[in-house]
Amino acid sequence: MINIIPLTETYYQQALLLANKVHGDNYLDLPSLIDMQKKASKNAINANFIALEGDTVVGLRLSYAANQWPLDEWCTPSLWPCAQTDMAYFKCIAIDPNQQGKGIGPKLLTASINALKQQGAKAGIGHLWQQSPGNGAVKYFTKAGGKLIKEHKNRWYEYSIKENYQCTICGVPCHCSAAEMVIEF
């Protein structure tokens, strides 16, 4: 049985291992995860969730509360359906490859959306990995109501060069594209 619960410090190490297994070496480290946990919490509500099978983390959804994350060159706020101050950010999803296709991703996304709505967000934006196996990231996000805002070529190129992120598809450098997508709540 799979249980969806908020991410806590107890599961940080397993969450890190899963994120790096799915997305590539050096995708996530402990200081980054701790920072992401701070960005996910607002009004004592945590928007980061994990999927557990027994005591094993098999899924991870990281999201930032509205107005608690910085815009970068990959964001297109002029095309968003609400003000930046009301926009949450869907940072990352990772599902153990042996557990994919079992509906864990949508359950994690629903839990995160519910928490973000309780925090006061009106919508959430994400940059979906278009080269994910079978373009599964974009497909699942679209199925949840996500709408394409803009495509960004070479989204993780600089990250792979400067931070030694090793993409599971490209290695270093990464040439994968991101679909900037939004879900309105």
Side-chain angles (χ1 to χ4, degrees), residues 77-118:
S78 63
L79 300 177
W80 295 351
C82 64
Q84 174 190 345
T85 55
D86 296 322
M87 183 67 75
Y89 188 76
F90 297 109
K91 173 62 179 156
C92 163
I93 186 156
I95 308 297
D96 185 290
N98 295 323
Q99 299 289 336
Q100 292 176 1
K102 297 181 180 180
I104 295 170
K107 288 177 185 173
L108 287 166
L109 182 61
T110 297
S112 188
I113 287 171
N114 289 338
L116 294 166
K117 285 170 36 177
Q118 289 173 15

Side-chain angles (χ1 to χ4, degrees), residues 13-30 60 92 94 159 165-166 168:
Q13 287 303 319
Q14 285 190 61
L16 289 170
L17 290 171
L18 177 62
N20 289 323
K21 176 181 180 180
V22 171
H23 294 289
D25 290 342
N26 302 318
Y27 177 77
L28 196 57
D29 60 22
L30 186 57
L60 169 68
C92 163
Y159 183 57
Y165 162 58
Q166 298 177 24
T168 58

Side-chain angles (χ1 to χ4, degrees), residues 2 18 21-22 34 42 45 53 56 78 119-120 127 133 144 156 177 183-184:
I2 303 293
L18 177 62
K21 176 181 180 180
V22 171
I34 291 168
K42 188 174 188 178
I45 300 166
E53 184 174 56
T56 303
S78 63
Q119 293 174 347
H127 291 90
W156 295 278
S177 298
I183 295 178
E184 293 185 66

